[in-house]
């Protein structure tokens, strides 16, 4: 096996980007800051309780990151090579399919493992405070690392199976959501309904594995045995995903010898017209009314997303109906918890989809050549941004409406007799709806920004996710922990306000950066557009037009 | 420079007898209902610069992909330097360098990093790799761009880099699918010069291109393919004679062109006669007539012959005459 060339190439490119050191630094800093914050909370008093809360919170955060690692790091690892036509060339060399898969995994795993390893020492700090044993930390670390491997392998498999970036990331996300949350939730539903625990099914779930990792062998040998079986199954699943990836990548190698930009049929290249060999949808409209084109050209919604969204929505409605029909019972409480979980899945799902389409939309425009036409059309960055936003909102209007309706239903569920007053329902409605609106709008802007800055759609999606969604999720953790550990109302109010202030500032800053970067990105594009057209005379015409639209770009 | 692997077989063209570098026997490839290649029998000799000519969809790329081991034939077989492309695929991949018409490059790498990466993929020892990379860069004229990011290179330079990648493991056979497509005139001329240099070094090159005028001056042998079937294969100079497209004469008479055209069109040996720029353009059948017949017909008919010369048919014209413009 020649593992080094592919891994070396990937690491070389990553090293040039220079984000690895910062990723490690911020991971460790986040862990230390979180630990310090909890330590300074006055209400807890008992160090054993604090250490347990800190450990569990960080372990679950790391698990969440491990579950997302595949969609964030590997889901487009081979897809991009397929689209750009570089993968087929590797098959002319001595590399085998396994070499390529293993090399990709080794390179992408390095960055993710760096991040996780940076936090591991902080994860072990609670051992010194008591309340958490060394065995628990070691087993949690093993569970997180094998989940990371599984997630990266599933991501790679998705990138082998799908050529399109959105499809491969959607497949990876849904795969990990099913494994991570779906199986455990399904096991929980079965337990609630029948009273028996379907461990055989849950052993495929990383979430259940992490939960079981906390059982001491001398206290709960059965649960400990379940942890071991789950660990082996996750490792086997990861190996299977890698093997399937290697077989599939070999089988379809002939499809990937040329870039997606190559003309599929002579007719397509002839109709491409002014942009040479590239095929641009609705080219006439793009030339005559670029803003109209931006609003009208909607990309198809991935079928996997559509199907998953429909299933989760149906499950949410069913759970809400159960909760409303059985007031004051245990079943109602269980159904409400399930409702909350499913609503969170709907929120996260639609937000991730927004991040995906926003980053990929402008990236596709660049690949098809439409961006060049937009730059020279003179409609300006603000209208390009608005046009993209309109198109995405138009495309996903029914999904957004559904999530808002679900938010109303959730408010109705919590205000139902025996759970909460009207103020609780209003809080759920307002907070949920406001966050959906603010997050979605910011994701669109920031997604466009990174889509314009990064040629690699996976990097653009990762940046968007890390800068918009993840900080908010992490920032709310101390508030949640303080709430769980019984902090005073004053502490909670201060922490809540601080979180809101930090989030608002971060979002405002992200929006401002997005606006400036999009404007600068367009100027830079105008100055150095590659214009990868066959026709060098057309290319020069484009350059002149771009210079006329953006005179300041000449000096950029 | 003598120890560079690319230079080792410089003497090959004069020393080696014409051993086939590529041989196909009844090669066919079917995609569902469509036959992309049909019973292709092709021979390419060593050190040939072989032009592969055909319309879009004629089967050129399919043939090159089969030779590059990317596709398996539906029937028939193909050999590269004596090795079967299906059974000895791994060996064949070492002997060939394949450049697709639209290939991708890692735009986020530097030129030397890119070549070094492919060198490592071919298991070239790191001690040799540095020198090999420097040599192929010099050969394709990219030495000055060795530290540049690939994304910043022009299309022509990226095409040269693609050629450098193809040469990195010193293959004996180069399969180049439209290597000059998308290049401006200067880059195209430079690319052709590099190919001639490679032929001089003993490489066998199969080049598919639509720019027939360049192939005519560049290649020593060629093949014309249409709708998956071979129409002609042989020396470029013999393509007109072998293809039976006829001989063309330019004629000037001082006694009126209309009368001369009448006389010529009355003869069965004359395929076509027309007036162009005040002169006559007469096409006669290869095996039945020559310039003497044209002169005899005109003089006997009372025309005063001022000029009669045979026109050398270009590859473009021969191609247009022997093909019907049919695609798959």
């Amino acid at each position: 096996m020649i593992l080094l060339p592919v891994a070396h190439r990937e690491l070389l490119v990553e090293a040039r980007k220079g984000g690895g050191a910062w990723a490690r630094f911020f991971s460790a800093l986040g862990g230390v800051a979180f630990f310090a914050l909890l330590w300074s909370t006055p209400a807890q008093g008992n160090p054993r309780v604090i250490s347990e809360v800190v450990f569990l919170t960080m372990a679950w955060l790391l698990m969440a990151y491990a579950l997302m690692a595949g969609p964030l790091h590997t889901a487009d690892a081979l897809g991009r090579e397929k689209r750009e036509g570089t993968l087929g060339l590797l098959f002319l060399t001595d590399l085998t399919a396994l070499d390529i898969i293993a090399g990709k995994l080794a390179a992408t795993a390095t960055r993710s493992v760096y991040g996780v390893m940076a936090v591991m020492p902080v994860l072990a700090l609670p051992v010194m405070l008591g309340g958490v044993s060394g065995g628990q930390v070691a087993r949690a670390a093993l569970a997180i690392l094998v989940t990371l491997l599984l997630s990266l392998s599933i991501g790679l498999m998705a990138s082998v199976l799908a050529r399109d970036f959105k499809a491969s990331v959607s497949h990876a996300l849904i795969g990990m959501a099913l494994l991570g949350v779906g199986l455990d939730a399904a096991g929980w539903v079965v337990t609630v309904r029948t009273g028996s625990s379907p461990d055989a099914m849950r052993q495929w779930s990383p979430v259940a594995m992490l939960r079981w990792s906390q059982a001491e062998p001398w206290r709960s040998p059965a649960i400990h045995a379940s942890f071991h079986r789950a660990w082996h199954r996750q490792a086997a699943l990861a190996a299977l995903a890698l093997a399937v990836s290697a077989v599939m990548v070999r089988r379809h190698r002939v499809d990937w010898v040329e870039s997606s930009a190559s003309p599929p049929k002579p007719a397509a290249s002839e109709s491409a017209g002014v942009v040479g060999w590239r095929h641009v949808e609705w080219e006439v409209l793009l030339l005559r009314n670029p803003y109209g084109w931006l609003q009208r050209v909607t990309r198809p919604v991935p079928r996997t997303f559509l199907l998953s969204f429909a299933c989760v929505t149906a499950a949410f409605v069913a759970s809400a109906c159960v909760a409303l029909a059985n007031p004051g019972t245990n079943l109602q409480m269980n159904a409400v918890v399930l409702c909350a979980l499913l609503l969170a899945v709907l929120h996260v799902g639609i937000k991730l989809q927004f991040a995906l389409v926003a980053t990929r939309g402008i990236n596709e425009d660049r690949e098809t050549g439409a961006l060049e036409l937009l730059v020279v059309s003179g409609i300006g960055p603000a209208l390009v941004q608005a046009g993209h936003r309109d198109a995405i909102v138009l495309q996903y209007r029914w999904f957004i409406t559904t999530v808002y309706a679900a938010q109303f239903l959730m408010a109705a569920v919590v205000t139902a007799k025996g759970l909460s007053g009207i103020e609780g329902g209003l809080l759920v409605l307002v907070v949920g709806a406001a966050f959906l609106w603010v997050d979605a709008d910011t994701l669109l802007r920031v997604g466009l920004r990174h889509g314009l800055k990064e040629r690699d759609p996976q990097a653009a999606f990762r940046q968007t996710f890390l800068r918009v969604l993840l900080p908010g999720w992490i920032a709310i953790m101390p508030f949640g922990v303080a709430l769980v550990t019984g902090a005073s109302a004053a502490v909670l109010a201060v922490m809540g306000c601080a979180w809101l202030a930090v989030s608002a500032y971060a979002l405002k800053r992200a929006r401002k950066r997005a606006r400036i970067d999009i404007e600068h990105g367009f100027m830079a594009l105008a100055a150095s557009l590659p214009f990868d057209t066959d026709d060098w005379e057309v290319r020069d015409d484009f350059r002149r037009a771009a210079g006329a639209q953006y005179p300041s770009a000449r000096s950029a | 420079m003598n120890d560079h692997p690319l230079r080792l077989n410089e003497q090959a063209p004069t020393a080696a007898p014409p051993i086939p570098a590529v041989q196909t026997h009844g090669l066919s490839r079917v995609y569902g209902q469509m036959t992309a290649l049909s019973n292709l029998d092709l021979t390419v000799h060593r050190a040939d610069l072989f032009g592969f000519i055909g319309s879009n969809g004629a089967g050129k790329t399919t043939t090159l992909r089969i030779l590059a081991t990317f596709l398996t034939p539906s029937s028939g077989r193909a050999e590269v330097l004596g090795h079967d492309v299906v059974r000895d695929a791994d060996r064949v991949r070492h002997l060939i360098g394949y450049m697709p018409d639209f290939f991708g490059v890692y735009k986020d790498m530097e030129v030397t990093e890119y070549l070094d990466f492919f060198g490592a993929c071919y298991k070239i020892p790191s001690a040799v790799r540095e020198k090999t990379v420097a040599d192929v860069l010099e050969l394709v004229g990219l030495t000055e761009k060795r530290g540049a990011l690939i994304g910043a290179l022009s299309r022509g330079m990226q095409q040269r880099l693609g050629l450098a990648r193809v040469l990195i493991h010193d293959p004996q056979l180069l399969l180049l699918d439209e290597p000059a497509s998308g290049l401006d005139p200067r880059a195209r001329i430079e690319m052709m010069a590099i190919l001639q240099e490679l032929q001089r070094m003993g490489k066998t090159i199969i080049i598919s291109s639509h720019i027939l005028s360049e192939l005519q001056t560049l290649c020593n042998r060629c093949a014309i393919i249409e709708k998956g079937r071979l129409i002609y294969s042989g020396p470029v100079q013999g393509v007109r004679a072998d293809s039976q497209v006829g001989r063309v004469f330019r004629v000037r008479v001082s006694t009126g062109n209309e009368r001369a055209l009448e006389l010529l069109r009355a003869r069965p040996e004359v395929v076509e006669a027309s007036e162009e720029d005040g002169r006559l353009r007469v096409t006669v059948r290869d095996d039945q007539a020559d310039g003497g017949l044209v002169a005899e017909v005109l003089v006997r008919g009372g025309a005063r012959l001022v000029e009669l010369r045979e026109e050398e048919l270009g590859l473009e014209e021969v191609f247009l005459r022997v093909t019907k413009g049919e695609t798959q």
Side-chain angles (χ1 to χ4, degrees), chain A residues 2 5 9 12-13 16 81 84-86 88-95 253-254 258-259 262-263 534 536, chain B residues 65 68-71 93-94 100-102 104-110 113 117 121-123 155 165 182 185:
Chain A
I2 321 167
R9 193 205 87 78
L12 201 67
V13 172
R16 190 163 287 133
E81 295 226 23
E84 297 190 351
T86 48
L89 299 180
L90 298 182
F91 284 108
L92 287 170
T93 68
D94 291 347
L95 293 178
R253 68 198 175 103
V254 69
E258 289 177 349
S259 67
S262 59
D534 277 359
W536 53 283
Chain B
R65 283 184 177 184
T69 74
F70 268 107
L71 278 177
R93 276 196 284 273
H94 267 273
D101 48 355
F102 288 90
V105 286
Y106 296 111
K107 293 184 176 174
D108 42 14
M109 292 182 94
E110 290 179 5
E113 287 171 355
F117 165 64
C121 291
Y122 278 111
K123 293 185 187 170
R155 177 81 192 267
R165 176 193 60 76

Side-chain angles (χ1 to χ4, degrees), chain A residues 429-495:
Chain A
L429 183 64
V430 172
V431 170
F435 269 93
L436 179 60
W437 180 72
V438 172
D439 273 353
D441 192 52
T442 312
L443 279 168
L444 288 180
R445 292 163 195 262
V446 178
L448 287 176
R449 170 197 168 195
H450 288 292
L452 195 63
K453 276 180 77 177
E454 298 273 358
R455 272 189 175 273
D456 176 7
Q458 175 107 47
F461 171 62
R462 191 167 55 235
Q463 291 291 333
T464 307
F465 173 79
L466 292 177
R467 281 164 199 249
V468 180
L469 290 180
L470 197 63
W473 294 352
I474 292 175
I476 203 169
M477 281 289 173
F479 178 76
V481 171
L483 191 70
V484 170
T485 52
S488 67
V491 170
L492 284 176
V494 168
M495 289 180 81

